[in-house]
Every structure is written in C-alpha cells, then in structure tokens.
Amino acid sequence: MTISNTKIKIAFTFILLAAMLIAPMFLSEFRLSLLGKFLAFAILAMGLDLIWGYTGILSLGHGVYFGLGAYCMAMHLKLVSSHGELPDFMSWSGVEQLPWFWLPFQSAGVAILLALLVPVAVAFILGYLTFRNRIKGAFFSILSQALVIITVTLFVGQQGYTGGTNGLTNFDTFLGYPVGEPSTKLMIYYVTAFIVIGTLVLCLWISSSRLGKILVAVRDAENRVRFIGYNPVTYKVFIYCFSAALSGLAGIMFVLQEGIISPAQMGIVPSIEMVLWVAIGGRGTIFGAIIGAVVTNSAKTTFSEAYPEWWPIILGAMFIIVVLFFPKGIVGTFQDLAEKWGLYPFKGSKKLLPPSAPLAGYSDLNSDSNPAHTK
C-alpha cells in the first residue's frame, strides 16, 4: 500500500488547523496563552527549517531577527500605553524627548511593516557579505552568534532607548482592544493559528517548487550549482532574508501574547534552542518544525512545573537522545517506520525528508568533497 505525498500534506494541514481551532474548547486561558506562544515559535521554526534543512545554512543567531520584530511591535504598544507622554523607562533614564527613531512606531501599520523589514535588512547585510565571500558552515554559524552578542550588548547598554535588561512591557491596548482581556487574547490566538497555516502552505510551496529544488542542490553541491549557471549567493540571500521575515512575524505574535520582550529572549541560548526545535521535529520537513517547536516548548514547560530543579537536566537528556538515536527527528523517524511497514515509497513522489537531512553530519552538507556528491 502506498500513500500520496500530497495527500499526506493536505491531511496533516487540515488536522493541524482543526486541532488549533478546537484547542480553546479544552484549554484554560493560561494554557491557551502558552499554546499561542508556541505557535508563534513554530512560525520562526519553519523559516529556520528552510535555511537549515533545505539550504544547509546553520544559523545560530535567529534570536536577533525574532527580537527585532518583537521590539518593533513592542515600541508601538509602549507608545500607545504612554498616552502621548514619554515612556516611563525613558523618563527614569533622563531622556527628555522621544528619539527620532521611535516616531514611526506611533502607527500600528508602520510598526508591523518595520517588524518585517528591519530583520530582513539586517539579514541581507549579513547574508550578502558572508555568502558573497563564500563563508559557510561553522564559520557562518560563528558569525551569526557574533551578531547575537553585538545586538544583545547594544540593547542592554542603551537603557534610555530600549529599556535595557528589563526590555519593554506594561502594554494596554492594540488597535483599540485591551490586550489583557480574554476575548482579545482569544482573537490573537486565532490570528496566530491562521498565520501558522498560511506560513506552512507557503513554505511547503517553496520547498516543492523549482526554488526548493535549487536550494537543496545548493545545500548538497554548491559548486556544481554555480558551474551549471546558477548563482548560489542570490538564492541563499533570498531564503535567509525570507527566514528573517518569518522570525520578525513570529516576534510580533509573541509580544502580543506574552506582553514583554527583553534582550534575554534574543540571546545565544534562545537562538540555539530554536535550532533544537527544528532538529527534534525533523530537519527538512517543514511539518517537523511545527511539531518540534510545540513539543519541545511544551516539554520544557511541563518539566519546569513538575521538576523545577531537574528540568534542565531532563530537557538536555531529551536533546541528547534525539541527536544520538533519532537524528532525523520525530517526523523523519515516523517516515522510516512507514517505509519499513511498506507505506513508502509514495506514489510518484519522494519522502517528506529531503536527502542528506539527518542531523548527523550537518557540517558536511555544503562540502563538494562529500562522497555522496561524487556519485
């Protein structure tokens, strides 16, 4: 018995949508808020999966793009809650006039637009300069972490303009709706759910299109792609910027539901955790990014509540087990089991998991000396 790959994607999408729509009927207000936050993380994870799973770019700095998007939204919310006066943290820091770069955030539409464009602009600068000079692999990962250190240091040091280590919080309304009201939170949750579905459909389209095939080719044999007439720099910069835009979008939905953003949420540790979401869910699957983000953060919350002293050890053990024994993640492992049971190969299609996608050996993905590339 074989199953159509397209049918599986459609079925999973509808199951995911149905699950998100009925979740408010079974979850308390607190748990629903957590789920909404996890779904915001899933938006970021899908973009990260496109650049890591399909293009072979391991970014350890996506917390920066997430944080920039969140700060752009939070700046608007803070100005609204200040009711025309100077934000409280600025007054405490001795700032006497609203800085010029805060002025555009008085408009919600401009704030949302900048929450997408600012991460894209930063990603374009870093991506173009590094990819043009053929910096990749571990060297690019180190540079992305350097970006995190620079950004966090900047945000912490500029207390009067960014809120410093405390970040931005104490928001009242968004588009006239009180953000603390249960009805508003429910509305934001549903908006997040539909954005997740829209992002999933878009990412699946990209991965299955000609662009997706070129991205996989760039990952597996970048020099060969260059020799046949394609410019890998163009594709890598584009998908990196697209991923940054999704991270900014995730930041918007996060701050609307969480009500706070600080430099700690865009640091090195959160950036590494974002990569782990994709690894645990199944790199190179898109679906796995959603599952990994929700499952990992749910486990983190559950362990921290039940075992406050032991939960970091339990969570770390879970990561080690996945990397050592399930390198393809949750989705990849299920695909292997389905193949073993005779459900693969799909009719006229390949597995959801693209070639070379297992976590083990990711550092060799862009190496043309890899024996797999000489076959």
Side-chain angles (χ1 to χ4, degrees):
M1 177 182 178
T2 56
I3 304 174
S4 168
N5 193 5
T6 302
K7 289 181 179 178
I8 285 185
K9 292 179 179 179
I10 294 174
F12 184 87
T13 302
F14 276 104
I15 291 172
L16 177 63
L17 177 60
M20 290 188 296
L21 291 179
I22 66 175
M25 302 178 185
F26 302 96
L27 298 178
S28 65
E29 181 181 336
F30 172 70
R31 297 298 175 185
L32 186 65
S33 177
L34 285 178
L35 179 59
K37 183 174 68 173
F38 300 161
L39 291 178
F41 291 154
I43 299 172
L44 181 151
M46 284 187 278
L48 190 57
D49 193 21
L50 280 178
I51 64 169
W52 186 30
Y54 286 86
T55 319
I57 303 171
L58 178 58
S59 172
L60 298 179
H62 257 52
V64 168
Y65 308 127
F66 172 80
L68 289 175
Y71 264 95
C72 287
M73 187 72 257
M75 290 166 73
H76 168 71
L77 296 175
K78 192 64 178 177
L79 289 176
V80 172
S81 65
S82 299
H83 305 290
E85 299 181 359
L86 203 63
D88 48 14
F89 69 89
M90 290 187 182
S91 300
W92 301 336
S93 301
V95 178
E96 299 179 353
Q97 186 177 2
L98 190 68
W100 62 267
F101 55 87
W102 272 74
L103 297 177
F105 295 97
Q106 294 175 340
S107 167
V110 174
I112 293 174
L113 182 62
L114 290 176
L116 301 177
L117 294 182
V118 172
V120 169
V122 176
F124 177 82
I125 295 172
L126 176 65
Y128 181 75
L129 293 177
T130 54
F131 300 145
R132 186 188 66 173
N133 290 288
R134 302 189 184 183
I135 298 174
K136 54 187 178 181
F139 298 102
F140 177 82
S141 299
I142 293 172
L143 284 176
S144 66
Q145 282 208 320
L147 175 65
V148 174
I149 296 173
I150 293 171
T151 306
V152 171
T153 302
L154 178 65
F155 274 66
V156 170
Q158 298 300 316
Q159 171 76 34
Y161 303 119
T162 64
T165 56
N166 295 323
L168 302 180
T169 186
N170 295 329
F171 310 132
D172 292 337
T173 62
F174 175 62
L175 299 178
Y177 296 96
V179 293
E181 290 292 328
S183 58
T184 305
K185 291 183 177 181
L186 181 61
M187 178 181 65
I188 295 175
Y189 167 81
Y190 279 125
V191 171
T192 305
F194 282 107
I195 291 178
V196 167
I197 294 298
T199 304
L200 172 63
V201 173
L202 180 59
C203 290
L204 287 175
W205 176 79
I206 291 176
S207 64
S208 60
S209 66
R210 183 176 182 179
L211 171 60
K213 294 178 174 62
I214 295 176
L215 294 178
V216 173
V218 169
R219 180 198 68 193
D220 291 339
E222 183 175 334
N223 285 335
R224 295 186 182 185
V225 172
R226 186 177 292 107
F227 291 155
I228 62 177
Y230 291 98
N231 185 3
V233 175
T234 302
Y235 292 95
K236 293 170 75 172
V237 170
F238 168 78
I239 203 64
Y240 188 61
C241 290
F242 179 75
S243 178
L246 291 183
S247 299
L249 179 59
I252 294 174
M253 304 315 300
F254 171 83
V255 80
L256 286 173
Q257 298 178 91
E258 189 72 359
I260 184 174
I261 181 64
S262 69
Q265 294 162 311
M266 56 194 292
I268 291 179
V269 173
S271 297
I272 294 176
E273 285 185 354
M274 293 169 185
V275 174
L276 293 174
W277 301 340
V278 179
I280 289 175
R283 184 162 61 95
T285 63
I286 304 299
F287 296 111
I290 301 175
I291 295 173
V294 174
V295 170
T296 304
N297 285 284
S298 297
K300 182 178 179 180
T301 300
T302 302
F303 293 150
S304 63
E305 291 176 351
Y307 309 101
E309 296 180 357
W310 291 91
W311 75 264
I313 298 176
I314 297 174
L315 198 62
M318 185 176 70
F319 293 151
I320 294 174
I321 290 172
V322 169
V323 171
L324 293 180
F325 301 103
F326 305 101
K328 294 183 180 180
I330 296 173
V331 173
T333 301
F334 273 107
Q335 287 179 175
D336 286 346
L337 292 175
E339 183 176 21
K340 183 178 180 180
W341 294 336
L343 297 179
Y344 282 129
F346 292 128
K347 282 194 256 186
S349 183
K350 295 181 179 180
K351 288 185 179 183
L352 297 175
L353 196 66
S356 304
L359 180 64
Y362 68 83
S363 61
D364 295 326
L365 286 176
N366 282 323
S367 173
D368 289 341
S369 63
N370 190 325
H373 301 152
T374 61
K375 293 182 179 180

